[in-house]
Amino acid sequence: MINSIKNQFKQQLELLQNKKYKKPAFEAYNMKRAFVTLDQAFEYVGDNSKYQQRITLLLCIQFLFYSFFVMGMPYLLQNPSKYCTDGICIEYPNCNNRIDSLIGFDSIAKEFGLFCNGRKAFIAALFFVGQMFGGFTFPILANIFGRRKILLFGMSLGSVSIFVGSLCNSLLSLYTLFFIAGFGLSGYETVVYVYINEISALRFRSIASSLLIVIWSSSMLIYPFIVDIFQSWRSLMMWSIGVPLLVTVVLDYFYFVESPRWLISKQQYDECRKVFRFMSIFNKRRPFEFNFMEELDKFNNRCVKLASVKRVDTQINLIQHTNQSAGYWELLKRSKLLIQTSILVQMWFLRYFTYYGLQFSVSTFGISMTTTLRMLALVELMTGMSSLYFKLKYPRIISLQFCLLTMILSATLAYIDIPQECQGSLCWQQILHLLSAILIKASITIYNSMLNTYTGEAYVTSVRSYGYGVCMTFGQLGSTFAPLYVSYVQEIYQQASAITIVGLMAILALGLTWFLQETYKKDMYDNLTDEVMANQTLPLINQDMQFDEIELQQLSR
């Protein structure tokens, strides 16, 4: 049976060799005796080729439905439009009196009576608390079990929770399911950012992360039309979010491969070769047969045995020890990583707090919520597409500083008080507040895209998921506080002043960026020792013996 399968596999390879292959980035007369780096392997199989494009397409579809849930939460939790008592209907609830009936969209807040005492903000905060715990937990699992398995697990957990939540009649159960959905989807999102940094080279990383932001922002242009169709939070959660996400999980299972960088960090070289082989065939390149630079140690052992050549030490021994001990504590015990992580967590907190704080403030800008959401979504869509230009053209730190400076200047417009006579009409003060929101939305979108890419490039593979995990945890802490803070400010001040604090936070972040190191057009390292080795002048093989000479000695034996 096994021989039969092997023969079929050989026949398929023979057929493949008769096909016309695309010209790779480089060629070798004998792949099995050539050693390449991971970046060279990605170039050979094709950076941003057919396989990577399919992965990007699947991730974009998932992010679209995922964003329907997160960005559509103002619809799911919106208050009734009118509150009626004894036949008299008013626009604002009197929580101290009896309410006979409610008029408006069939939302969670309407069905469960969450429109008083900040209870509506509590269910949104629970979702973000779940995201905070997921962002911390999933990187540990991804480093143990692999990116692909945990990515699938996170999306499965989130989509099942949303689907079951749409059938739930208990408020306590709904609270629990929102928390679980946040836990799973945040874990998925964290691992996705790691995955797209590890599945290909620079061009794919830049394009994929920018496309995900564009898709995310486009959801708010599409979602209002879906709301008009279903007119019920249960139908929205089931058919526009839960069921589509479950279908995408099945597609991911068949098309996603494990991260080559993770496999190398775990010394699973044969499995990594199979992944590159699959990608090369899918992209119509000759099947990948190269060895990896990390396998030089095994090659040296063969030389010692066959040719009696003095063994040449490589970095692999250091890598083995480092990978076995890598964990969250690595971010604390190494001063460089500690400083870098301390700065990035503040910048990620600012990212999430600003983004969701703006999202939950849309009802205070003097025009309808749907119009405001569509306007901000259009701004996010346009700036999301332009973020790719910034990524490919300008250094990361300079782009981040530009975005932070724009946020500081824009937030000052929100300090202008809105007079009482402007209530119910659009005056110039409200226009300035709306302009402030548009500028902040544009700058935070580019900032978001640049920060995602920079974080992936700043950490090595062995601790990349942990770095993302810490940043995502503190980021979700910002998204947890955002609806609570906005709700508090609106109750106290009755105006859209919740975004004024963004300017102060951006000033702090701007000062901290001067302590970060630039990663633009620099190599991504796979282990904590790689950067040290790269800065040394010693060659990987000693100066008295060239690689070809070692190979000849082995052959002559």
Side-chain angles (χ1 to χ4, degrees):
M1 180 67 178
I2 295 175
N3 291 330
S4 175
I5 294 174
K6 287 182 177 179
N7 291 332
Q8 290 178 11
F9 185 66
K10 288 180 179 179
Q11 291 174 3
Q12 290 177 355
L13 284 181
E14 289 175 1
L15 290 173
L16 283 170
Q17 290 173 355
N18 294 329
K19 290 183 179 180
K20 229 177 176 181
Y21 291 109
K22 290 183 179 179
K23 186 176 181 181
F26 59 89
E27 293 179 331
Y29 71 92
N30 191 342
M31 288 192 210
K32 293 183 179 180
R33 290 182 186 167
F35 288 75
V36 296
T37 64
L38 274 175
D39 287 332
Q40 290 171 334
F42 283 125
E43 289 178 16
Y44 178 83
V45 300
D47 182 26
N48 197 36
S49 294
K50 185 179 178 181
Y51 176 75
Q52 287 84 355
Q53 291 167 3
R54 181 162 295 186
I55 292 295
T56 305
L57 176 62
L58 288 174
L59 289 176
C60 286
I61 293 172
Q62 282 188 325
F63 257 63
L64 179 65
F65 296 114
Y66 172 27
S67 62
F68 280 172
F69 185 61
V70 180
M71 303 299 289
M73 208 168 287
Y75 287 103
L76 297 173
L77 300 176
Q78 67 177 294
N79 289 334
S81 57
K82 292 188 181 296
Y83 306 82
C84 302
T85 303
D86 297 328
I88 300 175
C89 298
I90 56 176
E91 293 185 359
Y92 300 97
N94 187 345
C95 297
N96 297 321
N97 294 334
R98 171 177 54 86
I99 298 176
D100 295 333
S101 60
L102 303 167
I103 300 175
F105 177 77
D106 186 15
S107 66
I108 295 174
K110 178 184 175 184
E111 181 173 332
F112 293 97
L114 304 179
F115 42 80
C116 288
N117 303 321
R119 296 172 67 195
K120 181 181 74 171
F122 179 70
I123 191 171
L126 268 179
F127 173 79
F128 292 123
V129 168
Q131 287 202 312
M132 183 175 64
F133 281 100
F136 185 83
T137 305
F138 273 71
I140 301 175
L141 300 176
N143 226 40
I144 297 173
F145 300 105
R147 318 305 196 202
R148 177 180 175 273
K149 291 179 182 177
I150 302 306
L151 186 150
L152 292 172
F153 172 69
M155 179 50 71
S156 300
L157 188 64
S159 55
V160 169
S161 300
I162 293 172
F163 180 83
V164 175
S166 66
L167 305 172
C168 187
N169 293 316
S170 167
L171 182 58
L172 182 60
S173 299
L174 196 61
Y175 282 156
T176 304
L177 290 168
F178 261 66
F179 175 86
I180 295 174
F183 180 80
L185 292 175
S186 174
Y188 160 81
E189 184 180 359
T190 305
V191 178
V192 161
Y193 290 138
V194 176
Y195 188 75
I196 61 177
N197 275 283
E198 296 181 355
I199 201 66
S200 194
L202 173 64
R203 185 172 179 80
F204 172 79
R205 291 199 303 268
S206 301
I207 293 175
S209 57
S210 296
L211 275 177
L212 292 181
I213 291 175
V214 170
I215 292 298
W216 184 277
S217 58
S218 65
S219 65
M220 289 316 301
L221 296 174
I222 303 170
Y223 202 60
F225 297 104
I226 299 176
V227 173
D228 292 338
I229 295 172
F230 288 105
Q231 286 294 319
S232 167
W233 72 270
R234 293 185 183 276
S235 300
L236 281 173
M237 283 182 60
M238 178 182 290
W239 299 111
S240 70
I241 305 169
V243 172
L245 285 179
L246 285 171
V247 173
T248 61
V249 171
V250 178
L251 295 175
D252 287 355
Y253 178 82
F254 289 105
Y255 284 107
F256 278 32
V257 296
E258 186 51 82
S259 160
R261 291 189 182 274
W262 180 82
L263 290 171
I264 288 291
S265 71
K266 299 299 180 181
Q267 291 125 48
Q268 298 182 26
Y269 304 119
D270 291 334
E271 290 297 319
C272 187
R273 220 178 331 271
K274 289 179 183 177
V275 169
F276 278 118
R277 188 178 178 81
F278 171 78
M279 292 169 65
S280 62
I281 294 174
F282 200 99
N283 290 336
K284 295 185 179 179
R285 268 72 172 180
R286 288 194 176 277
F288 184 91
E289 299 285 353
F290 290 102
N291 297 300
F292 301 105
M293 283 294 184
E294 288 79 359
E295 293 182 280
L296 274 174
D297 215 45
K298 182 171 69 174
F299 179 83
N300 287 332
N301 285 331
R302 282 160 43 201
C303 287
V304 170
K305 182 178 179 181
L306 298 174
S308 299
V309 180
K310 184 178 178 181
R311 185 177 183 278
V312 183
D313 289 328
T314 64
Q315 69 220 50
I316 192 69
N317 290 326
L318 292 172
I319 292 172
Q320 288 174 353
H321 174 72
T322 305
N323 285 337
Q324 289 173 359
S325 60
Y328 277 114
W329 53 87
E330 290 290 343
L331 305 178
L332 301 176
K333 73 180 185 181
R334 296 174 181 265
S335 58
K336 179 182 175 181
L337 286 177
L338 178 60
I339 295 171
Q340 175 181 287
T341 304
S342 302
I343 296 173
L344 286 177
V345 295
Q346 193 275 339
M347 298 179 72
W348 276 71
F349 182 93
L350 169 64
R351 168 202 166 183
Y352 276 89
F353 182 89
T354 304
Y355 190 88
Y356 289 107
L358 199 61
Q359 188 71 12
F360 283 96
S361 300
V362 293
S363 60
T364 62
F365 292 115
I367 56 179
S368 71
M369 184 175 71
T370 299
T371 304
T372 306
L373 284 173
R374 285 177 176 170
M375 185 185 302
L376 294 179
L378 185 60
V379 171
E380 187 175 356
L381 180 64
M382 294 172 62
T383 51
M385 290 187 290
S386 66
S387 67
L388 179 59
Y389 173 79
F390 280 87
K391 283 185 182 180
L392 298 176
K393 200 77 174 175
Y394 297 103
R396 314 299 189 210
I397 302 299
I398 292 177
S399 299
L400 289 170
Q401 290 171 342
F402 171 77
C403 294
L404 289 168
L405 186 60
T406 305
M407 279 191 275
I408 293 169
L409 297 176
S410 303
T412 58
L413 298 176
Y415 279 94
I416 299 174
D417 291 331
I418 299 178
Q420 200 68 26
E421 55 268 20
C422 282
Q423 301 299 326
S425 61
L426 191 64
C427 57
W428 68 269
Q429 290 93 341
Q430 284 181 323
I431 293 175
L432 286 180
H433 275 242
L434 185 60
L435 178 62
S436 172
I438 290 172
L439 292 175
I440 291 176
K441 171 64 83 171
S443 54
I444 199 64
T445 302
I446 299 176
Y447 176 87
N448 177 13
S449 180
M450 297 301 302
L451 190 60
N452 281 337
T453 303
Y454 177 82
T455 304
E457 294 173 345
Y459 289 104
V460 299
T461 300
S462 56
V463 296
R464 184 172 293 118
S465 62
Y466 296 118
Y468 263 114
V470 172
C471 292
M472 185 68 74
T473 300
F474 277 84
Q476 296 301 346
L477 193 63
S479 60
T480 302
F481 281 122
L484 301 175
Y485 177 79
V486 171
S487 177
Y488 170 77
V489 170
Q490 289 179 1
E491 287 182 11
I492 299 298
Y493 298 104
Q494 303 290 316
Q495 60 182 13
S497 60
I499 58 176
T500 54
I501 196 175
V502 169
L504 300 176
M505 296 169 64
I507 291 174
L508 175 61
L510 181 62
L512 293 175
T513 56
W514 296 101
F515 298 96
L516 294 175
Q517 292 186 353
E518 185 57 68
T519 62
Y520 181 59
K521 290 187 177 179
K522 292 187 177 180
D523 293 335
M524 284 180 63
Y525 300 113
D526 295 310
N527 298 279
L528 292 167
T529 56
D530 283 353
E531 191 170 1
V532 177
M533 299 293 293
N535 294 328
Q536 295 178 355
T537 57
L538 292 174
L540 205 55
I541 297 174
N542 70 35
Q543 296 174 351
D544 299 329
M545 187 177 301
Q546 297 300 319
F547 185 85
D548 288 340
E549 294 174 355
I550 297 176
E551 190 172 75
L552 287 172
Q553 290 180 30
Q554 181 183 349
L555 290 173
S556 64
R557 187 69 176 171

